[in-house]
Amino acid sequence: MHRYLVYVLALVLLPVSLALADRWPAWYWGVGLFGAMALLGTWDVLQRRSVLRRNYPVLAHFRYGFESIGPEIRQYFVQSDLEDVPFSRQQRQLVYQRARNVMDVVPFGTLRSTYAVDYEWINHSMAPTSIPHHDFRVVIGADCARPYSASVFNISAMSFGSLSANAIRALNKGAKMGGFYHDTGEGSISPYHRENGGDLVWEIGSGYFGCRDEQGRFSEERFVENANHDQVKMIEIKLSQGAKPGHGGVLPAAKVSAEISVTRGVPMGVDCVSPSRHSAFSTPVELLQFVARLRELSGGKPTGFKLAIGHPWEWFGIAKAMHETGLLPDFIVVDGAEGGTGASPAEFIDHVGVPMNEALILVHNTLVGLDLRERIRIGAAGKVTSAFDIARTLALGADWCNAGRGFMFALGCIQSLSCHNDKCPTGIATQDPSRWRHLDPTDKAERVRNFHENTLRALRDLLGAAGLNDPAELGPEHILRRVSPIEIRSMATLYRYLSPGELLDRVPGHAVFREYWADARSDSFAPPPRIEALRGTKLH
């Protein structure tokens, strides 16, 4: 009720002011003030473009007022526009501008220090190209019965349950309008994913939501029911996620509504738990056999897995299993430790998992070294909001990018950091109908489409300036980084890249391969014996 307090007080005090004004004309100031507030609040409640104004009539305008002088307040008193908390104001503003189709140019030069360590850029060409389109695509599962042509920029995994019904509606409709895919997250395919017919990547986590039996085990029969729907374009097995790798999720019993119960295939009134590991497989080889089985059950749709890199011998075990068995995923999505659209334990979100750049390079290098890179596509996710973010991620080794929080900003997210308490002020990350019903899916879908469209237009212009014709031409040599005030290195020289087939001939000098490759096993995720022997001792 406190959200409506100012509006209600205005409605109450307006007639009081009118009565007092009959006796004391000076009270007409109250009539004017409270009348204006009542009219403003009524308009806020009735309009459909701003969820914040519908949830906080009158009060929202105070926020807008402070926001309008926010740059000045931050400049003089609080923080810079470039401070990541976790996204900078500059990053968020860029998404808002592109989502609203307003001018996104920057006046008076960059706010970044071009001589600061870690400053990055892409070199331009004296012979720029003119690219006729910006609908850049990558074919995934070319050898499958039903390959998929994906945009190079898509919506990352965010489940119904974490996001509201109207947020899911808006994201999927935006994906449909823009011709890109919408990852369901591990919460399975809800009715809201199906309403607008946007392309779906069905993510299957350790809870097997949407394809589980009464005991929580994987059910082939229930999997087939969803997987063969035309709207589902690819199947993604979630091994781990950047926000909380190695940690299962819990949706409290109070949030397991009837809709979520049906969508996930879990009972109401009971905590919905995602185990920390899968029960359908326990070794690298079994994982690949599971991938092959899901591809078969889905009628030949591209099937792969998503992971955040942790212990390197575990990823190397999967790679060795690919080489030894010939069972290959059609794609791998690398989730960086900087990801996280919902809530996670503080230690996990701050200190667990490998960041996207290093994780992506490790996966890319391993596949190149095994001569498998041309047969397996790689997606990557981790704080991608701009065309330069996409370009540098593709240059490091990815074929396409996913974004979660970037598309949340397009929906109107204000980074209030209340995703975990069901009090999201913009109706995005909440199951409270009094909040999410004010999010207009039609209006927000347009903004989702605009953000995607304008970001890819910017990518087209960036590629043209670099003298390139397609994102696939990007390589680590195109991205430069300042490593000291007087030294610049390209990503190609900053990181060690393997040559095709190098792992088939020898163990490279690259430290992580030298340390763990020989000991990795395709039949077990267990640590090498020498690592196991060190556990329980201080003799490291």
Side-chain angles (χ1 to χ4, degrees):
M1 185 61 188
H2 67 280
R3 293 185 282 132
Y4 300 93
L5 182 60
V6 174
Y7 176 45
V8 171
L9 284 175
L11 294 175
V12 170
L13 293 175
L14 176 58
V16 172
S17 299
L18 281 169
L20 291 173
D22 283 341
R23 297 188 59 184
W24 297 287
W27 270 94
Y28 276 110
W29 69 265
V31 175
L33 175 63
F34 297 127
M37 291 173 65
L39 287 172
L40 181 63
T42 301
W43 171 244
D44 287 340
V45 171
L46 294 177
Q47 60 81 39
R48 301 185 64 83
R49 288 190 61 81
S50 172
V51 182
L52 199 64
R53 287 167 56 198
R54 295 188 80 185
N55 279 334
Y56 294 85
V58 183
L59 277 174
H61 294 275
F62 288 96
R63 178 189 180 277
Y64 294 142
F66 285 121
E67 185 181 40
S68 68
I69 60 172
E72 290 79 9
I73 293 176
R74 279 187 293 274
Q75 180 180 357
Y76 294 115
F77 302 110
V78 186
Q79 66 184 61
S80 77
D81 281 347
L82 302 180
E83 184 179 349
D84 293 352
V85 283
F87 284 81
S88 70
R89 183 178 184 277
Q90 187 182 69
Q91 289 171 311
R92 287 180 283 134
Q93 193 64 30
L94 179 64
V95 178
Y96 296 151
Q97 289 168 333
R98 288 181 171 165
R100 293 168 182 161
N101 251 346
V102 300
M103 187 168 58
D104 60 359
V105 298
V106 177
F108 216 65
T110 179
L111 296 178
R112 300 181 183 276
S113 171
T114 58
Y115 294 95
V117 174
D118 293 337
Y119 174 72
E120 294 178 343
W121 69 93
I122 183 169
N123 275 346
H124 68 282
S125 171
M126 293 294 289
T129 57
S130 178
I131 305 174
H133 69 92
H134 58 276
D135 185 23
F136 302 117
R137 298 201 161 263
V138 55
V139 176
I140 306 172
D143 296 328
C144 291
R146 302 173 70 178
Y148 179 59
S149 177
S151 171
V152 297
F153 190 38
N154 302 281
I155 301 172
S156 197
M158 296 181 286
S159 300
F160 170 58
S162 294
L163 300 192
S164 68
N166 278 1
I168 295 294
R169 284 181 169 121
L171 288 171
N172 194 256
K173 186 173 182 178
K176 174 70 172 180
M177 296 163 66
F180 52 100
Y181 79 64
H182 177 194
D183 193 311
T184 66
E186 69 173 308
S188 193
I189 307 169
S190 71
Y192 309 109
H193 286 96
R194 299 189 189 275
E195 281 185 13
N196 294 297
D199 289 354
L200 294 176
V201 171
W202 182 17
E203 182 179 273
I204 298 172
S206 55
Y208 305 116
F209 301 128
C211 56
R212 58 188 268 144
D213 62 19
E214 286 69 21
Q215 287 73 45
R217 298 169 302 193
F218 177 72
S219 165
E220 289 193 354
E221 181 180 355
R222 293 180 181 177
F223 171 80
V224 169
E225 292 175 9
N226 274 326
N228 282 282
H229 196 284
D230 286 342
Q231 197 178 347
V232 175
K233 303 302 181 183
M234 300 199 297
I235 309 297
E236 178 182 279
I237 302 165
K238 191 194 86 169
L239 304 181
S240 53
Q241 64 182 41
K244 46 185 177 226
H247 187 284
V250 178
L251 192 65
K255 293 185 72 173
V256 182
S257 64
E259 291 173 314
I260 292 174
S261 173
V262 171
T263 296
R264 298 195 177 196
V266 297
M268 292 181 63
V270 179
D271 288 344
C272 179
V273 179
S274 302
S276 58
R277 61 188 299 172
H278 281 261
S279 60
F281 54 87
S282 59
T283 69
V285 169
E286 289 177 359
L287 163 63
L288 298 180
Q289 291 170 341
F290 190 55
V291 168
R293 181 60 178 155
L294 296 193
R295 185 189 295 120
E296 178 185 357
L297 291 172
S298 67
K301 294 181 179 180
T303 305
F305 55 83
K306 179 179 85 172
L307 82 167
I309 293 294
H311 295 312
W313 61 79
E314 296 175 351
W315 157 243
F316 288 161
I318 297 173
K320 282 190 172 181
M322 295 180 201
H323 173 64
E324 292 170 8
T325 66
L327 297 172
L328 304 181
D330 298 300
F331 65 90
I332 298 170
V333 174
V334 179
D335 210 20
E338 60 269 52
T341 54
S344 303
E347 292 80 3
F348 279 78
I349 208 164
D350 287 337
H351 301 293
V352 180
V354 178
M356 182 186 70
N357 290 352
E358 288 73 20
L360 171 59
I361 291 170
L362 181 65
V363 171
H364 171 76
N365 259 339
T366 307
L367 296 181
V368 169
L370 290 174
D371 246 347
L372 295 175
R373 182 64 183 87
E374 294 300 317
R375 300 174 62 187
I376 301 172
R377 297 294 192 182
I378 298 177
K383 293 188 75 170
V384 175
T385 57
S386 73
F388 180 75
D389 295 335
I390 297 174
R392 73 184 302 282
T393 304
L394 300 187
L396 289 175
D399 293 300
W400 83 89
C401 293
N402 292 337
R405 288 167 292 181
F407 282 100
M408 288 176 70
F409 291 139
L411 288 175
C413 169
I414 60 172
Q415 195 170 267
S416 65
L417 306 183
S418 55
C419 308
H420 61 299
N421 60 19
D422 210 34
K423 295 182 179 179
C424 171
T426 57
I428 298 169
T430 177
Q431 295 305 304
D432 181 353
S434 72
R435 293 172 181 268
W436 65 254
R437 69 184 179 189
H438 296 316
L439 188 155
D440 184 349
T442 301
D443 175 63
K444 301 307 181 186
E446 187 70 34
R447 296 191 183 193
V448 168
R449 192 272 300 271
N450 289 343
F451 170 53
H452 177 269
E453 179 95 357
N454 289 323
T455 301
L456 289 192
R457 288 181 188 275
L459 178 62
R460 176 199 62 191
D461 295 344
L462 202 62
L463 292 171
L468 305 175
N469 293 288
D470 190 87
E473 297 177 4
L474 281 163
E477 68 277 6
H478 291 110
I479 307 298
L480 287 297
R481 177 187 291 176
R482 183 176 293 282
V483 297
S484 81
I486 58 171
E487 186 179 5
I488 295 166
R489 301 272 298 277
S490 74
M491 294 294 188
T493 59
L494 195 59
Y495 292 104
R496 164 80 159 86
Y497 280 86
L498 271 58
S499 58
E502 188 171 346
L503 280 171
L504 302 176
D505 301 326
R506 63 186 183 279
V507 177
H510 190 299
V512 69
F513 288 96
R514 186 178 63 245
E515 188 72 16
Y516 299 113
W517 177 255
D519 292 331
R521 296 169 49 187
S522 62
D523 63 345
S524 176
F525 287 114
R530 60 187 178 82
I531 301 296
E532 184 73 34
L534 293 174
R535 295 182 176 180
T537 77
K538 290 295 182 181
L539 304 177
H540 298 70

